[in-house]
């Protein structure tokens, strides 16, 4: 896939994510989407397929009253696009780890996107 098309698709995905627009996110995904979230070097969330992704997206949406990913860098390799990002979120409810509703979370991370049939087929988030 053309790097500019990959970049455009990922930017649309991030806009939909920031807007809590799950349908907009799903529209960009391959039906066999694979999603993995890596935290501190290990996978803490993994889904396969649109339905599982939708479920985790709905669950994540309910955790935040505000969230914003800001892309600060891009790199391309073969059929993959990696973005470096700054993340900010405000919790909508208390978490088991002691973080309370209304608290702001800020972190840096990266996401790697792979593509198939002009759709996003793999998303790997690292924080």
């Amino acid at each position: 896939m053309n790097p500019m098309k990959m970049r455009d698709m990922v930017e649309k995905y991030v806009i939909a994510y920031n807007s809590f627009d799950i349908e907009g996110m799903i529209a960009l995904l391959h039906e066999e989407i694979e999603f993995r979230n890596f935290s501190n070097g290990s996978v803490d969330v993994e889904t396969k397929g649109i339905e599982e992704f939708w479920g985790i997206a709905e669950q994540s949406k309910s955790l935040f009253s505000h969230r914003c990913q800001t892309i600060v860098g891009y790199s391309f390799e073969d059929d993959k696009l990696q973005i470096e990002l700054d993340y900010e979120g405000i919790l909508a409810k208390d978490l088991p780890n002691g973080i309370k509703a209304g608290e702001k979370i800020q972190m840096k991370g990266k996401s790697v996107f792979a593509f198939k049939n002009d759709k996003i087929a793999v998303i790997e988030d690292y924080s």
Side-chain angles (χ1 to χ4, degrees):
M1 180 185 285
N2 171 320
M4 291 311 293
K5 188 170 183 177
M6 290 190 301
R7 182 175 169 160
D8 181 57
M9 190 174 293
V10 167
E11 287 175 350
K12 287 179 183 174
Y13 175 86
V14 169
I15 289 168
Y17 176 89
N18 289 344
S19 303
F20 297 97
D21 178 8
I22 294 173
E23 288 183 14
M25 293 163 56
I26 296 294
L28 300 165
L29 303 180
H30 190 275
E31 64 186 25
E32 298 170 0
I33 181 70
E34 295 179 25
F35 171 77
R36 286 177 282 281
N37 187 78
F38 294 85
S39 183
N40 297 320
S42 62
V43 176
D44 61 358
V45 177
E46 184 171 15
T47 67
K48 291 186 181 199
I50 289 282
E51 288 183 26
E52 285 185 19
F53 184 91
W54 192 297
I56 200 71
E58 283 290 344
Q59 182 181 17
S60 175
K61 177 180 175 179
S62 71
L63 292 177
F64 295 94
S65 60
H66 166 79
R67 64 185 184 190
C68 182
Q69 290 184 345
T70 303
I71 300 171
V72 295
Y74 297 88
S75 60
F76 299 92
E77 184 178 322
D78 300 324
D79 67 340
K80 294 182 180 178
L81 168 60
Q82 177 177 299
I83 58 171
E84 303 292 326
L85 53 88
D86 291 336
Y87 180 84
E88 177 181 293
I90 299 175
L91 288 172
K93 54 181 150 185
D94 296 349
L95 296 181
N97 66 2
I99 301 174
K100 302 290 184 193
E103 287 188 41
K104 184 187 283 188
I105 296 173
Q106 292 180 299
M107 66 180 114
K108 295 188 177 295
K110 70 178 181 180
S111 293
V112 178
F113 296 83
F115 301 84
K116 180 178 178 182
N117 300 333
D118 293 329
K119 296 276 191 172
I120 298 170
V122 177
I123 303 171
E124 294 181 338
D125 290 340
Y126 297 85
S127 60

